[in-house]
Amino acid sequence: MHRNLRSFMDQLKKENDLVEIQAEVDPYLEIPEIHRRVIDEQGPALLFTNVKGSNTPVVTNLFGTVNRVDMAFGTKPEAFVKQAVGALDKLMPPTLGSLWNEKNLFTDVLKMGTKGVSQSKAPVMEHHTTDVNMKELPALTGWHHDSNPFVTLPLVYTEHPDHNEHNLGMYRIEIKEAKKTGMHWQIHKGGGFHHSVAEQKNQALPVSLFVGGPPALIVSAIAPLPEAVPELMFSSLLMGEKLNVVNVDNHPHPIIAEAEFAFAGEVPPHVREPEGPFGDHYGYYSLEHDFPVFNVKQMWKRKDAIYPATVVGKPRQEDYFIGEYLQRLMSPIFPVVMNGVKDLWTYGETGFHSLAGAVVRESYYKEGLAHALRIMGEGQLTLTKFLMVTNKPVDLSNFSELLEGVLERFQPERDLLILNDTSMDTLDYTGRKFNVGSKAIMTGLGEPIRELSHTYEGGTIPGAKDVKPYCGGCLVVSGPTFEQDPEFGEALVKHAQSQLGDWQLVFLVDDTNIVESQQQMLWTTFTRFDPSYDLYADRDIVRNNIRYKGPVVIDARMKPFYPDEVETREDIDQLVTDRWKEYFPK
């Protein structure tokens, strides 16, 4: 497919799916607000050619629709993955006939990897300097409480200090000084593992930062690949050809030949500085914490470089569409690496890590629990906060269908497992402590044991303001705010058994109107509770066995100690409204 950013942008222009904005725009808040309004309308990619304070154009919203994601990568990667998975049985044991029948697969494999090119054939080499000033980048400030501009599509390349294993990750880059940025290694990412090894040796870790290049690099950098799978190899699979790289004398890493920008430097050991706050893809601000720093020593770039960027915030943003593509791409692999897991889905509406659902095999008593534990121990899935599992074939992308499949079979005394005091996603603050929280597994296995209620007829609930069903078996209740009554979730369990008895799962929320869409329902619930703190149910303790009794109540109200939601500043909202016809005169 596309070996660089320019190729993809050319295709978007031909499809009338890229709009050039010639009016002067500010990368501080203004471009992000334009971007958000366009992505909300499923509008085109945006090329800003007159960026305040910079002579570098900015392109955003490259992946903001399903159609553009498909244009970026085509159908070949999905076909390759399905063929590769399907070939496993045919090639065991291999025969001449089976090998011949899969010859196209082996031809594609031979195209994977990297290819060295000379500097004269590497566009990124057109300009080089050691007098780097990261502040000259037209980096965006997406939200008004952000501490600085951030590089929002950074491709961060590292290598293991002891061998050639590499990692390409997307770790946000806060531009602090001309030659220094933050390096937001998250606890579950490969770059952070490499840095940890280097620190143990008291060594600096060489780092390459790329901006732009083949779209496949962006997807590879965020894909939840097994650690043994090299991201550059995966990129070449998506491209359908080898990835061009160029070697330089004064830096140990290969440089992506078709990148727009390349920065080289190192992350020193044992240095931490404040990073953030930053309005993140959970839809809230991630707060200031100490993170490593990246000391930038040199830069290469194209003479006519274009700066690609994105904006994160409340779902759905670009990362949502990329994440959905990755799930489609990798879904055939799940049953191979996790035998017994038939289908798996993480919900972008919750920031992906807050909620996952799975369809599993259940051929003996609670076999599905074994598969659930396997899921919770696999790569980035280890940071899943809430996992729902059933053996009923359902469309996992339709959450209400999954939830009804679980609740038809759910027996709280045996089917709810809470894992206390575990690691959490760095961006999830519901656990009351940075990087620490809890997890829950909810299973609905075997044959159905009940018919679910779909209409609430339980009458008035003491203290509740409103009651609405979300789907069969799941009720949404609003009442006092958390500040007014922090223990109202416990009160629901104690005082409303007669009204709630037919409902297996009850969400306590601030506004019951969230039931009108899956997006609002998932975002305003699963990003606002920690299982060990905010889940309520009657229970018996028999020796070491906690036996829960339904209904289960989850307090998903906003808590005063949560970070703020990201919201557009009023003056920026008005500015963009007033200038809209300047941006889009046609």
Side-chain angles (χ1 to χ4, degrees):
M1 285 298 290
H2 301 289
R3 66 169 55 185
N4 55 40
L5 177 65
R6 316 304 179 90
S7 169
F8 182 39
M9 291 176 63
D10 286 344
Q11 183 182 5
L12 294 180
K13 289 177 184 177
K14 292 176 182 177
E15 298 289 336
N16 294 317
D17 209 5
L18 176 69
V19 170
E20 181 178 327
I21 296 177
Q22 298 177 352
E24 185 183 59
V25 288
D26 197 331
Y28 177 77
L29 303 182
E30 186 178 11
I31 288 178
E33 178 59 17
I34 298 168
H35 168 105
R36 285 191 289 268
R37 294 191 188 191
V38 171
I39 202 170
D40 282 347
E41 298 297 326
Q42 291 286 276
L46 303 171
L47 176 62
F48 300 92
T49 57
N50 187 3
V51 180
K52 184 177 180 180
S54 176
N55 58 7
T56 301
V58 173
V59 63
T60 76
N61 201 21
L62 291 166
F63 307 102
T65 65
V66 173
N67 186 52
R68 282 204 293 281
V69 172
D70 288 342
M71 276 196 283
F73 310 111
T75 59
K76 191 168 184 178
E78 292 184 66
F80 174 86
V81 169
K82 290 177 181 177
Q83 183 182 1
V85 170
L88 292 177
D89 289 337
K90 300 174 186 176
L91 296 176
M92 295 297 172
T95 64
L96 287 176
S98 64
L99 290 171
W100 178 256
N101 289 336
E102 302 298 333
K103 60 183 181 298
N104 291 338
L105 179 64
F106 295 106
T107 300
D108 288 338
V109 169
L110 293 174
K111 296 178 182 177
M112 294 168 59
T114 60
K115 181 177 70 174
V117 298
S118 66
Q119 293 193 14
S120 63
K121 294 184 178 180
V124 75
M125 294 283 120
E126 290 173 347
H127 176 78
H128 172 254
T129 184
T130 56
D131 186 20
V132 183
N133 187 354
M134 297 292 288
K135 292 191 172 186
E136 293 180 349
L137 287 176
L140 305 185
T141 303
W143 303 99
H144 56 275
H145 291 311
D146 287 1
S147 52
N148 273 303
F150 284 78
V151 181
T152 51
L153 285 178
L155 302 166
V156 180
Y157 178 92
T158 59
E159 293 182 353
H160 194 286
D162 294 331
H163 46 76
N164 292 328
E165 172 192 294
H166 76 256
N167 175 260
L168 185 74
M170 189 168 287
Y171 317 119
R172 72 180 189 232
I173 300 292
E174 179 184 354
I175 298 178
K176 295 171 173 285
E177 301 174 11
K179 292 189 175 184
K180 183 168 72 174
T181 78
M183 181 58 74
H184 194 267
W185 307 125
Q186 292 185 34
I187 57 177
H188 56 296
K189 299 294 181 71
F193 297 151
H194 291 171
H195 184 227
S196 176
V197 174
E199 279 196 320
Q200 292 171 24
K201 298 172 176 287
N202 202 32
Q203 297 175 355
L205 180 70
V207 171
S208 301
L209 165 64
F210 305 107
V211 180
L217 290 173
I218 293 172
V219 170
S220 299
I222 65 174
L225 300 172
E227 288 185 36
V229 177
E231 282 83 5
L232 297 190
M233 182 76 75
F234 187 67
S235 296
S236 68
L237 163 65
L238 296 176
M239 293 167 58
E241 61 178 299
K242 291 185 183 295
L243 178 69
N244 288 346
V245 298
V246 58
N247 293 317
V248 294
D249 294 332
N250 50 357
H251 188 61
H253 297 163
I255 303 299
I256 305 299
E258 296 284 349
E260 299 293 314
F261 296 86
F263 302 90
E266 62 185 23
V267 175
H270 315 299
V271 175
R272 301 292 188 274
E273 293 185 3
E275 192 267 2
F278 177 72
D280 222 311
H281 71 274
Y282 272 55
Y284 309 90
Y285 284 96
S286 57
L287 303 180
E288 178 185 295
H289 299 283
D290 288 343
F291 275 88
V293 299
F294 174 38
N295 293 324
V296 185
K297 296 182 176 180
Q298 53 186 324
M299 176 188 74
W300 297 267
K301 71 168 187 173
R302 292 173 180 252
K303 289 181 179 179
D304 59 346
I306 299 171
Y307 180 83
T310 191
V311 179
V312 292
K314 296 176 184 176
R316 305 176 176 179
Q317 302 296 330
E318 278 186 89
D319 60 311
Y320 176 90
F321 297 98
I322 296 173
E324 296 246 313
Y325 170 77
L326 281 169
Q327 298 199 83
R328 296 201 320 261
L329 179 66
M330 302 187 71
S331 59
I333 300 175
F334 295 138
V336 176
V337 298
M338 294 182 285
N339 188 27
V341 177
K342 298 179 179 180
D343 199 6
L344 178 64
W345 194 259
T346 60
Y347 292 85
E349 297 95 336
T350 72
F352 293 105
H353 288 315
S354 294
L355 174 65
V359 177
V360 299
R361 184 180 63 207
E362 175 76 356
S363 57
Y364 57 84
Y365 178 69
K366 294 196 76 171
E367 179 190 3
L369 178 60
H371 300 312
L373 293 171
R374 173 64 192 275
I375 292 168
M376 297 289 263
E378 184 68 33
Q380 292 187 38
L381 290 168
T382 58
L383 293 179
T384 300
K385 179 168 70 177
F386 205 99
L387 174 63
M388 292 188 177
V389 171
T390 184
N391 61 299
K392 180 182 179 180
V394 295
D395 175 9
L396 290 176
S397 65
N398 182 344
F399 176 68
S400 60
E401 186 176 335
L402 164 67
L403 185 55
E404 289 183 354
V406 170
L407 296 180
E408 286 172 343
R409 297 158 173 78
F410 178 61
Q411 300 179 53
E413 67 275 12
R414 67 163 203 173
D415 289 338
L416 180 61
L417 176 63
I418 297 177
L419 306 173
N420 295 295
D421 195 27
T422 68
S423 64
M424 290 282 281
D425 184 20
T426 298
L427 307 179
D428 189 330
Y429 287 86
T430 59
R432 278 73 166 175
K433 186 177 179 182
F434 188 51
N435 284 337
V436 177
S438 66
K439 306 178 188 302
I441 297 173
M442 188 176 188
T443 60
L445 303 168
E447 296 299 318
I449 61 172
R450 67 175 63 85
E451 291 187 8
L452 301 176
S453 299
H454 288 80
T455 303
Y456 177 70
E457 298 176 349
T460 301
I461 297 175
K465 294 179 180 178
D466 195 15
V467 182
K468 291 181 180 178
Y470 171 63
C471 65
C474 178
L475 202 63
V476 176
V477 177
S478 65
T481 66
F482 185 87
E483 293 94 325
Q484 292 170 337
D485 189 351
E487 301 303 322
F488 189 66
E490 185 69 37
L492 282 179
V493 172
K494 289 182 177 179
H495 303 299
Q497 288 296 301
S498 60
Q499 289 96 336
L500 300 176
D502 289 339
W503 299 87
Q504 302 304 305
L505 183 62
V506 178
F507 283 99
L508 173 58
V509 301
D510 294 307
D511 183 357
T512 58
N513 289 326
I514 62 172
V515 301
E516 294 174 5
S517 75
Q518 175 171 304
Q519 179 178 335
Q520 281 297 306
M521 176 68 184
L522 294 185
W523 181 67
T524 52
T525 53
F526 285 90
T527 65
R528 296 184 181 179
F529 76 88
D530 175 82
S532 67
Y533 279 94
D534 301 314
L535 189 149
Y536 297 88
D538 274 348
R539 65 189 68 83
D540 294 325
I541 300 178
V542 181
R543 297 183 69 86
N544 297 312
N545 183 8
I546 301 176
R547 295 177 178 175
Y548 297 101
K549 302 176 182 178
V552 173
V553 176
I554 292 176
D555 184 352
R557 296 173 294 177
M558 274 294 286
K559 319 296 192 295
F561 42 83
Y562 287 177
D564 291 339
E565 294 181 30
V566 291
E567 298 285 355
T568 303
R569 208 170 68 188
E570 287 186 12
D571 61 322
I572 298 299
D573 183 58
Q574 188 62 51
L575 172 71
V576 172
T577 297
D578 292 343
R579 296 195 64 198
W580 197 253
K581 289 186 178 180
E582 292 182 57
Y583 310 139
F584 305 102
K586 297 182 181 181

